[in-house]
Amino acid sequence: MKNKYLMIYQQLVDLIKTGELKANTLLPSEHELKDQYDTSRETIRKALTLLSQNGYIQKVKGKGSIIIDVNKFDFPVSGLVSFKELAEKMGNTPKTVVHELTLEKPSDFIKQQLKLNNKDQVWKVVRTREMAGEKIILDKDYLVKKYVPELTEEICEDSIYNYLENELDLSISFAKKEIIVVEPTEEDRELLDLDGFHNVVVIKNYVHLEDASLFQYTESRHRPDKFRFVDFARRSHL
Amino acid sequence: MKNKYLMIYQQLVDLIKTGELKANTLLPSEHELKDQYDTSRETIRKALTLLSQNGYIQKVKGKGSIIIDVNKFDFPVSGLVSFKELAEKMGNTPKTVVHELTLEKPSDFIKQQLKLNNKDQVWKVVRTREMAGEKIILDKDYLVKKYVPELTEEICEDSIYNYLENELDLSISFAKKEIIVVEPTEEDRELLDLDGFHNVVVIKNYVHLEDASLFQYTESRHRPDKFRFVDFARRSHL
DNA sequence: CAGTGGTCTAGACCACTCC
DNA sequence: GAGTGGTCTAGACCACTGT
C-alpha cells in the first residue's frame, strides 16, 4: 500500500474503529489534516471521500466531517464479500461441501448469461454452505475456462474468490448483483435443509474483470430465514 | 446544474444512452476530453469517476474508458429510489392507498430505531402500493415530527420523498437498507394480495439528513414474486 | 466575520498497455 | 516509445456554517 491517500484513509479508519476519534465529533478540518499529513488538500479529500463512501464519516459543508458510530455496522457494508469472510466476521465456523466440480459445455442459459462463444467451456461448481450444522446456502458458480484454466476441490472448499485474486491474480473489478425470491427447485430441496420453508432467496452475481469482460456467474441460493442483506446508499460528492 | 463536472457527466450519459457513444468502444482519452470541454483534467476525471460509479464506463489503466452496454440496466442501479419513480420507469401506473396517517407517540421499537427522546412525536403512515390491480407492497413510514411538521393524505398518495426534498427542502444524504425475508403478519395478510405466498420480503430503510441525523424509518413489505433488487458494487478508484 | 467543505486549475511524475 | 489512466501538488475562488 503505497498510495498516500489510501494510507491516510486506512490510518483514519483505524483511529475511528479504536475510538481514538470519537463518534459524533468532528474530524480535524481538511486544512489541518493536510498540514498533519504533509500533503495537499486534494489528497486529503480523496481519503475523506473514501471514508464517506464507506460510511465512516458524513461531510457537512461549512461545518466539518462528522464521525459516524461505526460499531452500528454489524455486517459488511457492501461490495464483494465472500462466504468465508462473511462467516468468519460473524464468528461462525463455516463448512463447505463440494457437490459437483466439472468442466462442461455451458447450457444455453449460462451461455447467454456469460455471453459465450460455442467453443467456450465453463467450470461448474455446486457447493453447500453449512452454519451451525444446517445447510443454509446453495452456491452454483460458473467460471469461464479461458480465464480460469485449473480448479480443484480444495480450492472450492476454501475460497474460489481468494484463489482468483491471490493465485491467478485476476482482479475483480465490479459485480452486478440481483436479488429475487423464488420457489425452491428439486435441487434446493435435496441439497439444503429447507426445514419447511416455501421460498429461497436467490442472489445472482455477475462478476467482471478489470477489462470489463464478464467471467463468472454465480447463483447463491439462501434459506430465507438465514438471509440478510445490508446496503448503503449515499448522495455522492467528489 | 452549474457544476462543470456534473454537466460533463450528464452530457456523456446522454451520449451513451442515445448510442452516439457506442457500447464496447473507448471514450475519448482524458486529455482529449479536457481539450474538448476546455477544462482541467481533474475535472474530467470527476465526471468519469461518476460515470464509472454509475455503471456507464469501466476505466482501464493504460488503455482507456470502455463504454458499457447500458441498455442491459433495466432497473434502477442503486441509491434512493421512490416507489413512484420506480413504477413509472417500469411503465406501470402506480396506485397508492393510504390506510393510516397519524401523529403518535412512538412505540418502543420505533423509538429505538429512530433514537428518539420521550417527548418526540412521529408521523406514522401506512400505505399499500398497487400495480396491475394487485396490492403488492405495504409501506410503513415513520417520520420524526420535529423535521416534518405537517403531512397530509394528498402528500402520502403522491410521494413523501418528493415533498421532503422539494417542499420542505430536507436533503436526504444517505440511507442504510436492510433486506430480510419473514413470515407475513396479520396486517400483511389483511392489506396485501398475498395470493398464497408464505413469505414477504421486508426492506428496512434508515434515512439520514445532510447533518447525519436520522429522521425517517421505513419498512417496505413486498410480495416475494414481485420483488427484485439490483445492486452494483465496484472497486473504487478516485 | 473566520472557518469549513466544494469546485476548479495547470502543471508534474508514475505505471500500465499496445505496437 | 507514444499514449493511457492513477496519483499528487500548490495554489485559487466559491457557498455554506457558525458566531
Side-chain angles (χ1 to χ4, degrees), chain B residues 4-15:
Chain B
K4 201 179 267 194
Y5 79 87
L6 283 177
M7 289 185 56
I8 296 171
Y9 164 73
Q10 194 51 59
Q11 288 179 36
L12 291 172
V13 166
D14 291 343
L15 289 173

Side-chain angles (χ1 to χ4, degrees), chain A residues 3-5 39-41 43 61-62:
Chain A
N3 289 2
K4 201 178 269 194
Y5 79 87
T39 180
S40 69
R41 196 176 143 225
T43 299
K61 193 193 304 193

Side-chain angles (χ1 to χ4, degrees), chain B residues 5 13 21 23 52 71-72 83 93 108 120 123 149 164 203 237:
Chain B
Y5 79 87
V13 166
L21 289 170
S52 160
N71 295 317
K72 286 285 146 53
F83 170 76
T93 5
D108 285 349
D120 278 321
W123 291 101
L164 300 177
I203 299 114
H237 300 275

Side-chain angles (χ1 to χ4, degrees), chain B:
Chain B
M1 180 128 65
K2 53 195 171 201
N3 289 1
K4 201 179 267 194
Y5 79 87
L6 283 177
M7 289 185 56
I8 296 171
Y9 164 73
Q10 194 51 59
Q11 288 179 36
L12 291 172
V13 166
D14 291 343
L15 289 173
I16 292 172
K17 279 191 175 164
T18 62
E20 283 175 72
L21 289 170
K22 289 200 197 88
N24 301 314
T25 64
L26 291 178
L27 221 53
S29 78
E30 297 180 351
H31 286 95
E32 283 180 69
L33 287 172
K34 132 179 123 41
D35 294 338
Q36 282 180 30
Y37 285 94
D38 190 32
T39 181
S40 69
R41 197 177 144 224
E42 284 291 357
T43 298
I44 292 294
R45 283 179 56 73
K46 282 192 182 179
L48 297 198
T49 298
L50 269 188
L51 284 172
S52 160
Q53 285 177 348
N54 293 333
Y56 289 102
I57 62 169
Q58 178 65 17
K59 303 176 109 193
V60 182
K61 195 192 305 196
K63 201 170 169 195
S65 295
I66 303 171
I67 298 167
I68 294 178
D69 193 351
V70 80
N71 295 317
K72 286 285 146 53
F73 301 170
D74 48 356
F75 215 78
V77 165
S78 70
L80 310 148
V81 178
S82 73
F83 170 76
K84 204 183 156 198
E85 291 175 69
L86 208 148
E88 281 164 1
K89 208 169 272 184
M90 300 188 72
N92 283 295
T93 5
K95 193 179 156 198
T96 299
V97 178
V98 179
H99 293 269
E100 189 179 342
L101 168 59
T102 52
L103 190 59
E104 59 180 35
K105 288 189 60 138
S107 68
D108 285 349
F109 175 71
I110 294 301
K111 206 149 71 185
Q112 189 196 334
Q113 296 292 316
L114 287 173
K115 295 166 190 151
L116 297 177
N117 311 342
N118 277 320
K119 57 184 205 308
D120 278 321
Q121 283 192 298
V122 294
W123 291 101
K124 178 179 178 187
V125 186
V126 179
R127 298 175 292 179
T128 51
R129 317 297 207 144
E130 215 168 281
M131 276 161 93
E134 290 191 296
K135 297 200 233 16
I136 294 304
I137 304 176
L138 173 63
D139 272 352
K140 303 173 75 168
D141 289 76
Y142 301 87
L143 296 102
V144 182
K145 185 175 180 242
K146 71 180 158 202
Y147 299 115
V148 188
E150 209 32 63
L151 205 56
T152 68
E153 202 150 317
E154 286 72 47
I155 295 167
C156 296
E157 274 170 6
D158 189 39
S159 166
I160 295 183
Y161 184 81
N162 258 352
Y163 174 66
L164 300 177
E165 285 249 308
N166 300 329
E167 303 293 319
L168 288 189
D169 212 30
L170 285 177
S171 198
I172 289 170
S173 166
F174 66 105
K176 181 182 162 194
K177 219 186 237 89
E178 188 182 336
I179 301 174
I180 55 177
V181 180
V182 301
E183 308 264 309
T185 63
E186 260 320 303
E187 190 180 33
D188 293 330
R189 282 186 228 281
E190 198 179 306
L191 295 178
L192 292 176
D193 292 329
L194 269 184
D195 225 22
F197 283 96
H198 293 79
N199 290 111
V200 293
V201 181
V202 180
I203 299 114
K204 298 182 178 183
N205 233 312
Y206 302 84
V207 183
H208 298 251
L209 296 178
E210 288 268 296
D211 66 351
S213 60
L214 186 61
F215 91 110
Q216 181 186 12
Y217 169 71
T218 301
E219 262 187 39
S220 198
R221 307 173 73 87
H222 293 233
R223 204 170 85 182
D225 64 322
K226 296 296 181 183
F227 166 80
R228 177 149 167 257
F229 180 80
V230 178
D231 174 70
F232 282 84
R234 47 200 344 109
R235 293 251 182 276
S236 68
H237 300 275
L238 294 179

